[in-house]
Amino acid sequence: MHAYTASRISLPSHPAQPSLPTAFDSGPLQPVSFFSAGSEIYAQGEKAGAFYQVEFGAVRVYRLFADGRRQISAFHLAGETFGFEADATHHFFAEAINSTGVRVFRRIAGADMSHQLLPLALKGLTRAQEHLLVLGRQNAVERVAAFLVDMVERQGGLRQVELPMSRADIGDYLGLTIETVSRVFTRLKEKGVIRLLNLRCVEIVKHDALQNMSE
Amino acid sequence: MHAYTASRISLPSHPAQPSLPTAFDSGPLQPVSFFSAGSEIYAQGEKAGAFYQVEFGAVRVYRLFADGRRQISAFHLAGETFGFEADATHHFFAEAINSTGVRVFRRIAGADMSHQLLPLALKGLTRAQEHLLVLGRQNAVERVAAFLVDMVERQGGLRQVELPMSRADIGDYLGLTIETVSRVFTRLKEKGVIRLLNLRCVEIVKHDALQNMSE
DNA sequence: CGCATTCTTGATAGTAGTCAAAACCGGTGG
DNA sequence: CCACCGGTTTTGACTACTATCAAGAATGCG
């Protein structure tokens, strides 16, 4: 029932990554689970036996430190996949940022899914490596610019970008504080590079300037 | 000929990752290439048609920014594999740190290696994600401690750790300057946590203290 | 043994973090 | 439809950490 409602609500299409290879679609449709804003999809230490594709909404994957610091390793938007693990255990938490639908692909006993999984894992690896560059060597402005450029690309290159996540999420993704993220947004506004339609919606006025800043 | 000599010189065993699944070993032995200190294994932008396993020595994988900044995304020690790409192009540079032997596994036309590649790609993904945490949310001491703990584990947990790379390499891996890396080493020495046998060889005196620092 | 390179140490500067308060927005209920 | 309320975001003042610039020391190679 949930699954049914899901397919009615879900976005018309996934911009960047249309769908998984047909091998996955054959047989009974994979179930879609619903998660309200802030609810947990899986926890660190949990047994990992599936992977996930976002149908609509957005997901944050993160680790918590003992002293409360949080690092978000990735955001996942509609059409994107996540939840692969090298062993049988989840090493991160995954949460819905907003109301989110997630298609769950459970590991089928005996079936070898590596042919389908490999490109997804490699995509995740590429993303993680690119993000390493940002966290290792870029300053606050460059980080925010890189983040915005990435969000633009993943949403099909439109002038307007939806930011499903809070400033705190952005900070914990970019290795910055919420205040620094806010200050950078303000500076980008003042320079006329972006415009805030509202807190969660950014218009990219000078895409080239942003791209140059991000490197 | 090179390959032959390689197998004579190579370390007696690879501590953490003994060898690839036997599927790779069947048929003719994969060739081993030699690289002197600082020489390039592949370049960003090059066509990617193979992956690599370190026989002996060490490898750095990195990206250069336009202004000369460098970020090393990973080091690879004996037994470890690298060089996977999501598309047919290398997005990073790979260089031998010292004299290094690398076994090259070329993609065989028509053969599906995804079953062998997937666990290696997932291992790489896990490493990259762990490193994200370090770069995003840890201070200089925590970064160096995490680096040393990682090197200890990858070398079998011995008290003495070989650091095949320079301070500059460590800095570019940890997102720090060479001076900061040096200062942290000095502080760890003063606290009696480590001892420098020589510049490239560290004795871990207080492993627990180091582990606590790294989180 | 001497030179070049790498590493260490010191002084200073700059960027981002912390703490605090004000402003803003979005949702709710009257 | 508007006013209120709570949480998020923005702004400000100050601090702290790491980068930068500059010497000096140590290492290792020829």
Side-chain angles (χ1 to χ4, degrees):
Chain A
M1 178 232 181
H2 267 168
Y4 178 71
T5 321
S7 57
R8 306 302 309 271
I9 297 176
S10 69
L11 297 175
S13 69
H14 302 135
Q17 303 175 311
S19 67
L20 287 171
T22 43
F24 282 113
D25 304 326
S26 62
L29 198 63
Q30 303 295 338
V32 170
S33 297
F34 277 80
F35 296 93
S36 58
S39 63
E40 181 177 289
I41 297 171
Y42 56 74
Q44 184 181 355
E46 248 179 39
K47 192 159 172 293
F51 71 97
Y52 308 86
Q53 183 174 38
V54 179
E55 282 289 312
F56 62 92
V59 172
R60 60 179 166 245
V61 175
Y62 66 93
R63 176 85 60 86
L64 288 175
F65 291 73
D67 60 1
R69 283 177 291 182
R70 182 179 70 158
Q71 177 65 40
I72 293 178
S73 68
F75 295 118
H76 298 286
L77 309 182
E80 300 175 353
T81 52
F82 65 98
F84 327 108
E85 299 290 346
D87 57 29
T89 307
H90 284 299
H91 296 123
F92 290 82
F93 295 90
E95 273 178 11
I97 295 176
N98 298 307
S99 293
T100 298
V102 174
R103 196 171 293 275
V104 183
F105 295 87
R106 298 198 186 286
R107 187 170 285 292
I108 299 154
D112 181 17
M113 300 161 90
S114 51
H115 186 68
Q116 287 80 12
L117 247 45
L118 182 60
L120 302 177
L122 287 174
K123 180 118 190 164
L125 179 58
T126 301
R127 275 195 185 289
Q129 287 172 335
E130 292 293 329
H131 196 39
L132 277 182
L133 303 181
V134 174
L135 295 187
R137 282 287 172 234
Q138 308 211 192
N139 63 32
V141 173
E142 291 171 325
R143 291 182 199 209
V144 173
F147 168 72
L148 288 174
V149 168
D150 185 45
M151 290 301 286
V152 167
E153 284 172 6
R154 287 158 75 179
Q155 291 183 26
L158 303 174
R159 284 180 66 83
Q160 290 188 17
V161 188
E162 287 292 330
L163 303 182
M165 68 292 287
S166 68
R167 299 286 185 271
D169 285 336
I170 297 173
D172 285 346
Y173 177 66
L174 297 177
L176 301 171
T177 60
I178 179 175
E179 293 94 332
T180 298
V181 172
S182 180
R183 281 186 246 268
V184 172
F185 270 97
T186 302
R187 255 202 281 169
L188 292 177
K189 269 190 300 183
E190 288 168 355
K191 285 187 178 177
V193 176
I194 62 171
R195 204 152 43 153
L196 291 194
L197 307 182
N198 63 59
L199 281 175
R200 300 288 174 97
C201 189
V202 180
E203 182 182 331
I204 311 298
V205 182
K206 300 180 183 171
H207 188 280
D208 289 354
L210 206 60
Q211 194 121 32
N212 291 335
M213 283 180 186
S214 74
E215 62 185 41
Chain B
M1 180 232 181
H2 266 171
Y4 178 72
T5 321
S7 56
R8 307 302 309 270
I9 297 177
S10 69
L11 297 176
S13 68
H14 301 135
Q17 302 177 311
S19 67
L20 286 172
T22 44
F24 282 112
D25 303 325
S26 62
L29 198 62
Q30 303 295 338
V32 170
S33 298
F34 277 80
F35 297 93
S36 59
S39 63
E40 181 176 290
I41 298 171
Y42 56 75
Q44 184 180 357
E46 249 179 38
K47 192 160 172 290
F51 72 99
Y52 307 85
Q53 183 175 38
V54 179
E55 283 290 312
F56 63 93
V59 172
R60 59 178 167 247
V61 176
Y62 66 92
R63 176 85 60 86
L64 288 175
F65 291 73
D67 59 2
R69 283 177 291 182
R70 181 180 70 156
Q71 176 65 39
I72 293 178
S73 69
F75 295 119
H76 299 286
L77 309 182
E80 300 174 352
T81 51
F82 65 98
F84 327 107
E85 299 290 347
D87 57 30
T89 308
H90 283 299
H91 296 123
F92 290 82
F93 294 90
E95 272 178 11
I97 295 175
N98 298 306
S99 293
T100 297
V102 174
R103 196 171 292 275
V104 184
F105 295 87
R106 298 198 186 285
R107 186 170 287 290
I108 299 155
D112 181 16
M113 300 161 91
S114 52
H115 185 68
Q116 288 81 10
L117 248 45
L118 181 60
L120 302 177
L122 288 174
K123 181 118 191 165
L125 178 58
T126 300
R127 274 195 185 289
Q129 287 173 336
E130 292 293 329
H131 197 40
L132 277 181
L133 304 181
V134 174
L135 295 186
R137 281 287 173 234
Q138 308 212 184
N139 63 32
V141 174
E142 292 171 324
R143 290 182 199 208
V144 172
F147 168 72
L148 288 174
V149 168
D150 185 46
M151 290 301 286
V152 168
E153 284 171 6
R154 288 158 75 178
Q155 291 184 25
L158 303 174
R159 282 180 69 83
Q160 289 187 19
V161 187
E162 288 291 330
L163 303 182
M165 67 292 287
S166 68
R167 299 287 185 271
D169 285 337
I170 297 173
D172 285 348
Y173 176 66
L174 296 177
L176 300 171
T177 60
I178 179 174
E179 292 96 330
T180 297
V181 172
S182 179
R183 280 185 246 269
V184 172
F185 270 97
T186 301
R187 256 202 279 169
L188 292 177
K189 270 191 299 183
E190 288 169 354
K191 285 188 178 178
V193 176
I194 63 171
R195 205 154 41 156
L196 291 194
L197 307 183
N198 64 58
L199 282 174
R200 299 288 174 96
C201 188
V202 181
E203 181 183 331
I204 311 297
V205 182
K206 300 180 183 173
H207 188 279
D208 290 353
L210 206 62
Q211 193 123 31
N212 291 334
M213 283 178 185
S214 75
E215 60 186 42

